[in-house]
Amino acid sequence: METTAVRRPPAGLLTIWGATRLILLLLVFGVLRFPGPDVTGDVSVIYRGWYEALRAGAFPAADVTWQYPPAAALAILSPALLPFLGYASAFFVLAFLADLAVLVPLLHAGLRPGRTLRGAWTWVAGVPLLGPTVYARYDVMVTAVAVAALFAGVRRPGIMGALTGFAALLKGWPVLLLAGAVRRRAWGAAAVTTLALCAAFALTMPGAFAFLAFQRDRGTEVESVTGLALHVARRLGWRGEVLFRYGSLEFAGPHTGLVSGVALGLTALAAGWLLLWRLTARRLAPHTLAEAAFTAVLLFTVTSRVLSPQYLVWLVGLAAVCLCSRAGRMTVPAALVLAAAAVTGLEFPVCFADVVASTPFGVALMLCRNGLLVAAALTAAVCLWRSTATGPSPASPLAGTARTDEPAAAS
């Protein structure tokens, strides 16, 4: 007789999660020191400055470092929920709670009969590889909403769509969660949520969409994949330099516009491939939604003009959702992302000065980290194509009946 009882979380997993997160908290609170420059300045200085402007009822439209969609204001204002703490302290606590909010559904999915805890272990192990940066940026909050959206895709495409629309207005990239969604309810709910929130921000807070111009004008950041060409050129005598612009360190000098154009062209190619996949896919299993989202975010990450360390938080979270399913095909890409996260933790902040200066060691670090991410993106794309777009088409567009304990379904 089959049992539907849920197992207890393994003590080892919870112990490791608790120990590693305690260390992260001690690092961001300054009790322990992490090698390299302090990464918490973004919270205590930049975020705090934005907080004051937003609390006054307007977006920091004159600040070109404000690069985020309007709902990001909610993340920046969130420390007000803990008025008994200072701004930075409250932010770190909320980032910790967002980390926990990702773990809980991963555990819930992994502990059900026939499921696996690989996803939970991926999150537990992957986050500390990135060091204190995880708690010093609001990306972990966005990841928590994105993971919730994917899990809601099992039987509630409307909720999935609403969460996706909200997450996309937090930081843009979660719109790619819809890459594998096939039910109109998910797309409709995402569109309605996005439009409603955009209208609300436009009517109540000036400068809600100033970020669009700032994003348009961004150049090639030193950690991006295409930026490797400029690192190598610098070693060979190129006379460019690195400047702080639009919230990140970018290359400036001859031919940088060309390199940025190549990155935009590669992004367009990635979008075209995703469209071709959607038109070609025949077998959409319950786990396809998460795998399509993971692949899409990987492709857009490696073709982006900017590839900041916190982007790895998104990828680790999506990889974790993929690995909750035993039937999934993303084990190798997920392992490559974890390896890239380990290199990222070394690259920033520990050896970031080498990266900025394009020293041989810094270039080698970028080649290793970005090479791992490119390999993950290509491997994920091949796995997704082979598992869904080749072979005979099943009678049902969903390739069978979705089980309610799947972490994600075609929605």
Side-chain angles (χ1 to χ4, degrees), residues 19 114 157 177 207 290 361 364:
L177 301 181
F361 180 65

Side-chain angles (χ1 to χ4, degrees), residues 54 57 59 69-74 77 166 169 194-209:
L54 292 166
F59 283 89
L74 301 179
L77 290 168
F166 173 60
L169 284 181
T194 301
L195 291 173
L197 287 174
C198 283
F201 281 112
L203 291 172
T204 59
M205 295 181 69
F209 300 101

Side-chain angles (χ1 to χ4, degrees), residues 8-405:
R8 290 185 177 182
L13 185 149
L14 295 178
T15 300
I16 293 173
W17 182 85
T20 55
R21 275 42 178 191
L22 175 60
I23 292 173
L24 289 179
L25 285 172
L26 292 175
L27 287 170
V28 293
F29 276 104
V31 178
L32 299 178
R33 187 182 180 280
F34 198 76
D38 182 16
V39 300
T40 64
D42 276 24
V43 177
S44 58
V45 178
I46 299 176
Y47 285 13
R48 179 60 190 265
W50 291 340
Y51 172 82
E52 297 298 338
L54 292 166
R55 194 170 61 166
F59 283 89
D63 185 352
V64 296
T65 63
W66 176 260
Q67 295 279 327
Y68 311 112
L74 301 179
I76 302 302
L77 290 168
S78 63
L81 297 172
L82 303 176
F84 48 87
L85 294 175
Y87 181 86
S89 297
F91 186 92
F92 301 145
V93 171
L94 291 172
F96 165 79
L97 293 176
D99 180 351
L100 179 60
V102 175
L103 178 66
V104 169
L106 292 171
L107 280 175
H108 179 73
L111 291 170
R112 297 184 70 85
R115 312 297 297 158
T116 172
L117 283 169
R118 292 186 306 162
W121 276 111
T122 297
W123 181 252
V124 169
V127 166
L129 293 177
L130 296 169
T133 304
V134 177
Y135 285 1
R137 305 290 186 273
Y138 81 91
D139 296 79
V140 67
M141 302 176 184
V142 185
T143 302
V145 180
V147 168
L150 288 176
F151 280 110
V154 182
R155 299 182 64 181
R156 298 176 178 85
I159 294 177
M160 181 230 168
L163 288 172
T164 298
F166 173 60
L169 284 181
L170 282 170
K171 203 161 187 180
W173 68 265
V175 71
L176 297 171
L177 301 181
L178 295 170
V182 296
R183 291 181 186 165
R184 295 178 186 175
R185 245 183 310 166
W187 286 86
V192 169
T193 302
T194 301
L195 291 173
L197 287 174
C198 283
F201 281 112
L203 291 172
T204 59
M205 295 181 69
F209 300 101
F211 78 98
L212 293 173
F214 302 153
Q215 282 286 349
R216 178 198 62 205
D217 296 335
R218 296 192 81 165
T220 299
E221 191 248 351
V222 295
E223 296 165 287
S224 64
V225 172
T226 51
L228 274 170
L230 296 173
H231 278 297
V232 174
R234 215 173 170 197
R235 299 297 311 165
L236 298 176
W238 176 66
R239 294 188 175 183
E241 57 184 338
V242 174
L243 301 176
F244 183 78
R245 300 190 304 193
Y246 299 102
S248 64
L249 289 166
E250 300 179 354
F251 285 109
H255 312 301
T256 53
L258 174 62
V259 174
S260 295
V262 169
L264 291 173
L266 292 172
T267 299
L269 285 176
W273 183 89
L274 282 171
L275 177 60
L276 178 63
W277 169 75
R278 279 301 306 264
L279 295 174
T280 310
R282 299 182 178 92
R283 299 185 308 279
L284 300 179
H287 55 270
T288 301
L289 179 61
E291 297 193 346
F294 180 49
T295 302
V297 175
L298 267 170
L299 288 172
F300 277 79
T301 297
V302 299
T303 60
S304 173
R305 291 171 294 172
V306 180
L307 210 171
S308 299
Q310 59 266 29
Y311 290 18
L312 273 292
V313 180
W314 323 338
L315 296 174
V316 172
L318 297 180
V321 178
C322 291
L323 293 188
C324 284
S325 172
R326 292 185 184 276
R329 304 289 186 90
M330 294 294 162
T331 302
V332 172
L336 290 170
V337 165
L338 287 180
V343 179
T344 300
L346 175 62
E347 173 258 318
F348 182 86
V350 182
C351 301
F352 194 54
D354 288 281
V355 174
V356 173
S358 300
T359 67
F361 180 65
V363 175
L365 276 177
M366 285 292 88
L367 181 63
C368 180
R369 195 281 297 270
N370 290 345
L372 288 166
L373 289 178
V374 170
L378 295 177
T379 305
V382 170
C383 291
L384 182 66
W385 186 277
R386 287 180 175 176
S387 64
T388 60
T390 59
S393 178
S396 166
L398 294 183
T401 320
R403 290 177 46 147
T404 57
D405 60 344

